[in-house]
Amino acid sequence: LGQAVRLPPAAAALANATAGHALDFDDSSPPMIGHPSVNLMSALFALGERDGRGGSDIITAYVAGLEVAARLGRHLNPSHYAAGWHATATLGTLASAAAAAHLLGLEERKVCMALGIAASSAGGIRKNFGSMVKPLHAGLAARNGVVAALLAHHGLTADPDALDGERGFIDVFRGAVEPDLALLRFDSGEPLEIMASGVGIKRYACCGCTHSALDALIALRTEHGIDHTNVAQIECSMNSLVPDILVNHRPASPAQAKFSMEYCLAVAMIDGDCGMDQFTEERVAEGAVRALLERVRTSVDPAIAYRNGVYPGLVTVRF
């Protein structure tokens, strides 16, 4: 997208999804604890253009893919995510495969095969958050979903129980919690995830774990007309899962800064925003930001519960 270069569908999906996730400004699915649209749309645009499919076909396939990502997320998270898996990569691979299979018009057995192939293609660890590999996860998920659907279309077979059988995807990727597979159905009659959970549009160009705290800080800044030069300390208490994600306390690059509560709160106190302009090499290195960053303190409050992809935070500003 935005280039004169033309590539086969799998390669185009890889390039577009990697680029689409690079700013960490793409939408989120709360149950998935991940970013669904960057994978799904990159896969669907690539295959849809090749096959001349229309907008309604793309939308319907998108809904199918989101259903897989969010429904699996409801049953696997937060245990799956807490174990260190990047759900955009893991659940996103299966979602992309389901969406691509729907767009290709695969019959039931071949959809099952596509999911089985995708189950062996899924991966992505949160250890790479803050590096160039993090957006690559999205690219790999989109590409692998396209490849899985195309291989199934051409007759490659997988174990039909690769999703929910013993040592299958759910068994391997579930983390510490045993999901109730009796409840994991895609034909349960419940509202589709596009309606039940939908997608969340990001206000800030950084990890979603920072957003509640940023909302609180900017509200305080606005209400009280705070001048950052009068700030002695910013304190932020959060859910226990957040510090496991925001590991860059003294970021050295924009990619690391997106996963730093200290940086995000400091730059937002100065600028009143945490958008794309706040994540440049120059802004991350700027002296006033670095000085205020040193006065941000974070802590875990056991009373603050994780809530389905929302990470509440309590912010206190001391003068």
Side-chain angles (χ1 to χ4, degrees):
L1 295 172
Q3 304 288 328
V5 178
R6 297 180 65 80
L7 298 172
L14 171 67
N16 286 330
T18 302
H21 195 48
L23 296 177
D24 229 294
F25 215 178
D26 43 320
D27 64 3
S28 301
S29 161
M32 180 188 184
I33 316 184
H35 305 269
S37 296
V38 66
N39 296 334
L40 295 174
M41 296 314 299
S42 297
L44 293 172
F45 279 155
L47 279 177
E49 182 180 23
R50 186 199 71 164
D51 295 346
R53 304 301 293 269
S56 61
D57 299 326
I58 300 292
I59 291 170
T60 307
Y62 176 95
V63 170
L66 180 65
E67 189 70 13
V68 169
R71 188 65 64 92
L72 285 174
R74 284 187 185 276
H75 292 272
L76 297 180
N77 284 324
S79 179
H80 170 72
Y81 194 85
W85 296 111
H86 182 199
T88 301
T90 52
L91 305 185
T93 300
L94 269 67
S96 297
H102 193 288
L103 192 66
L104 291 172
L106 301 190
E107 48 89 14
E108 180 180 338
R109 181 178 177 277
K110 287 191 174 182
V111 173
C112 183
M113 296 301 103
L115 290 175
I117 298 165
S120 281
S121 308
I125 54 174
R126 288 198 288 111
K127 183 64 175 174
N128 271 318
F129 279 18
S131 78
M132 295 173 73
V133 175
K134 204 253 187 179
L136 179 64
H137 286 172
L140 295 174
R143 181 199 68 181
N144 291 345
V146 169
V147 170
L150 289 173
L151 288 173
H153 173 64
H154 288 288
L156 192 75
T157 58
D159 189 305
D161 297 320
L163 177 62
D164 55 358
E166 185 179 2
R167 292 182 295 276
F169 179 90
I170 292 173
D171 193 22
V172 172
F173 283 91
R174 61 184 168 86
V177 175
E178 183 76 45
D180 186 351
L181 294 182
L183 299 175
L184 180 56
R185 299 186 61 86
F186 297 105
D187 60 349
S188 62
E190 298 176 9
L192 291 171
E193 290 291 349
I194 190 67
M195 300 299 294
S197 59
V199 294
I201 306 301
K202 280 190 168 186
R203 183 179 178 184
Y204 310 109
C206 48
C207 179
C209 293
T210 67
H211 283 38
S212 293
L214 283 168
D215 278 348
L217 180 84
I218 291 173
L220 288 172
R221 182 183 185 273
T222 302
E223 180 180 353
H224 300 286
I226 298 174
D227 180 344
H228 71 88
T229 61
N230 294 327
V231 174
Q233 190 169 84
I234 301 171
E235 300 171 4
C236 178
S237 54
M238 63 196 81
N239 169 264
S240 60
L241 185 58
V242 175
D244 190 41
I245 300 168
L246 303 180
V247 297
N248 298 301
H249 304 291
R250 299 296 181 269
S253 68
Q256 291 182 1
K258 290 174 180 289
F259 292 87
S260 171
M261 183 69 85
E262 292 85 354
Y263 175 83
C264 291
L265 292 177
V267 77
M269 177 58 78
I270 296 173
D271 294 351
D273 197 6
C274 211
M276 290 165 60
D277 290 343
Q278 281 66 49
F279 293 98
T280 64
E281 295 284 354
E282 294 75 19
R283 198 74 187 113
V284 171
E286 205 275 326
V289 177
R290 303 302 300 190
L292 186 55
L293 180 154
E294 295 292 337
R295 301 199 293 277
V296 179
R297 299 288 179 266
T298 61
S299 61
V300 171
D301 183 349
I304 299 178
Y306 164 84
R307 293 189 290 109
N308 193 27
V310 178
Y311 305 86
L314 178 65
V315 175
T316 305
V317 180
R318 303 191 185 279
F319 300 102

